[in-house]
């Protein structure tokens, strides 16, 4: 079995098309097909369902795909390890982050890039939490900034970053004068703009309302936190966001933020990386940078004034 055969096989599985896979691998389609056919003969199994075109993987093919991705990831990690021993941490960190951590991720990246100036970063910040965990386990991401779930983090290295709370942002005339907190039932009475139901933050918010027997029907739903703030700025909507999202975003003078209580929701946000094998040097370096941060203290200082806005 040749390493190149595994690369061809993974490309076909991901592209679901032989010609596109061949183009991705910079090889002719006949050469790619012949290599995969040889792999099947060597393993004595059928890996790909074939008709006039790609029709999916066989059960044996699905199982090999998991192993092939792991082998390729380990191969790439070893090559990066050798380069790092010679020149320091190089390569590109493939980082994912939930949309509500799109601003806080910059704090971790700043520390990482300062310590490793030769490394590069590709940040994906519009993926759902479940997709981030799936891509971590599939070796499509090196690390991700995610909310911590006990079952979701199995088999992953997890470094806590900070604990998030939730705030309601609204035009000042929608809120009681001088109030710094608001109960969830009171928030439900306001015209709301919220994240879409498929997003983890929205699911946490819905659960808080459900604890009071309330099902909310927001006027506006979006997958963009920036759009939520814009809705509040327009003067006719209130929105609910994690408070740490505000550290890098200025609110308009006529907006106020109040902490939501009864209950006070807390979500642990962490850096997660695949714990299978030694991992890539760039991923290990990123996790080490995250371990040195004290973001809870940072946010306590920066965000203490938002409720007095």
């Amino acid at each position: 079995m040749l390493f190149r055969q595994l690369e061809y096989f993974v490309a076909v599985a991901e592209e679901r098309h032989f010609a596109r896979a061949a183009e991705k691998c910079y090889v002719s389609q006949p050469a790619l097909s012949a290599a995969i056919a040889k792999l099947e003969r060597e393993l004595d199994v059928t890996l790909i369902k074939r008709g006039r075109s790609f029709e999916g993987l066989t059960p044996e093919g699905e199982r090999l795909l998991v192993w092939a991705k792991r082998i390729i990831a380990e191969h790439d990690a070893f090559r990066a390890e050798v380069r790092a021993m010679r020149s320091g941490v190089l390569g590109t960190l493939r980082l994912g982050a939930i949309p509500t951590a799109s601003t806080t991720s910059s704090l971790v990246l700043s520390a990482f890039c300062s310590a490793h100036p030769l490394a590069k970063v590709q940040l994906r910040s519009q993926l759902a939490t479940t997709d981030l965990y799936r891509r971590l386990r599939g070796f499509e991401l090196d690390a991700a900034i995610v909310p911590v779930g006990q079952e979701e983090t199995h088999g992953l290295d997890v470094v806590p970053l900070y604990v998030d709370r939730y705030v309601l942002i609204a035009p000042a005339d929608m809120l009681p004068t001088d109030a710094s907190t608001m109960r969830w039932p009171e928030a439900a009475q306001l015209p709301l703009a919220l994240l879409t139901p498929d997003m983890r933050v929205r699911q946490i918010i819905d659960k808080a309302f459900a604890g009071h027997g309330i099902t909310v029907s927001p006027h506006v739903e979006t997958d963009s936190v920036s759009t939520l703030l814009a809705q509040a700025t327009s003067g006719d909507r209130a929105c609910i966001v994690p408070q740490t999202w505000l550290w890098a975003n200025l609110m308009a003078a006529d907006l106020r933020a109040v902490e939501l209580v009864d209950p006070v929701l807390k979500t642990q946000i962490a850096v997660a990386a695949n714990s299978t094998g030694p991992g890539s040097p760039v991923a290990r370096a990123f996790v080490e940078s995250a371990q040195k941060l004290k973001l809870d203290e940072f946010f306590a200082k920066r965000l203490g004034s938002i409720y007095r806005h």
Side-chain angles (χ1 to χ4, degrees):
M1 182 190 306
L2 298 177
F3 182 78
R4 181 63 67 183
Q5 291 172 307
L6 295 178
E7 289 187 321
Y8 292 169
F9 171 70
V10 171
V12 171
E14 291 179 342
E15 296 295 328
R16 303 185 66 80
H17 193 276
F18 282 90
R20 288 198 300 269
E23 183 178 354
K24 181 178 181 180
C25 295
Y26 303 102
V27 68
S28 69
Q29 183 175 336
L32 178 138
S33 298
I36 293 177
K38 184 178 180 182
L39 178 63
E40 290 178 315
R41 289 195 301 271
E42 291 176 358
L43 296 175
D44 194 25
V45 294
T46 300
L47 300 172
I48 297 174
K49 300 174 185 176
R50 295 176 177 85
R52 291 186 175 181
S53 61
F54 178 87
E55 295 182 356
L57 300 180
T58 64
E60 294 85 355
E62 293 285 359
R63 188 59 186 156
L64 177 62
L65 181 61
V66 175
W67 280 97
K69 285 186 174 182
R70 179 179 299 178
I71 292 169
I72 292 171
E74 294 292 349
H75 174 266
D76 292 342
F78 175 71
R79 294 180 63 184
E81 188 85 50
V82 172
R83 291 196 300 268
M85 292 174 66
R86 294 173 179 170
S87 309
V89 175
L90 298 170
T92 300
L93 174 74
R94 300 168 301 168
L95 177 66
I98 53 174
T100 50
S102 59
T103 56
T104 54
S105 61
S106 63
L107 296 170
V108 193
L109 286 177
S110 179
F112 169 72
C113 292
S114 295
H116 307 286
L118 298 179
K120 297 181 179 180
V121 180
Q122 290 179 348
L123 174 62
R124 300 285 302 276
S125 60
Q126 291 298 320
L127 297 174
T129 301
T130 52
D131 199 16
L132 289 171
Y133 277 115
R134 179 184 63 79
R135 292 185 184 222
L136 275 176
R137 290 192 166 88
F139 303 98
E140 297 173 43
L141 291 174
D142 298 304
I145 299 176
V146 288
V148 174
Q150 189 170 11
E151 295 181 359
E152 293 170 319
T153 56
H154 176 72
L156 298 175
D157 291 327
V158 177
V159 175
L161 282 178
Y162 59 89
V163 175
D164 225 336
R165 299 182 181 215
Y166 295 83
V167 297
L168 181 136
I169 300 172
D173 57 11
M174 282 190 185
L175 302 177
T177 304
D178 297 328
S180 61
T181 63
M182 175 176 284
R183 297 177 65 247
W184 290 90
E186 296 166 354
Q189 302 303 311
L190 299 175
L192 292 173
L194 297 176
L195 294 171
T196 53
D198 61 307
M199 299 182 70
R200 180 65 57 88
V201 168
R202 172 62 185 280
Q203 293 164 8
I204 292 171
I205 290 170
D206 283 347
K207 187 175 181 180
F209 282 123
H212 291 278
I214 299 170
T215 301
V216 293
S217 180
H219 291 74
V220 176
E221 293 179 321
T222 176
D223 61 357
S224 166
V225 188
S226 298
T227 300
L228 291 183
L229 190 57
Q231 284 290 311
T233 303
S234 69
D236 57 358
R237 297 283 185 274
C239 65
I240 299 173
V241 298
Q243 69 168 3
T244 53
W245 190 82
L246 296 176
W247 86 270
N249 296 275
L250 297 175
M251 291 198 303
D254 57 348
L255 292 181
R256 286 179 51 208
V258 293
E259 184 176 14
L260 288 162
V261 298
D262 188 23
V264 173
L265 296 184
K266 297 180 180 180
T267 301
Q268 177 69 65
I269 305 299
V271 167
N274 201 316
S275 60
T276 303
S280 70
V282 70
R284 290 202 307 272
F286 182 74
V287 171
E288 289 169 3
S289 293
Q291 288 175 319
K292 298 176 183 178
L293 299 176
K294 297 180 179 180
L295 292 185
D296 280 322
E297 295 179 11
F298 173 86
F299 289 129
K301 294 177 181 178
R302 287 296 186 97
L303 299 174
S305 62
I306 65 172
Y307 307 114
R308 299 189 295 272
H309 183 83

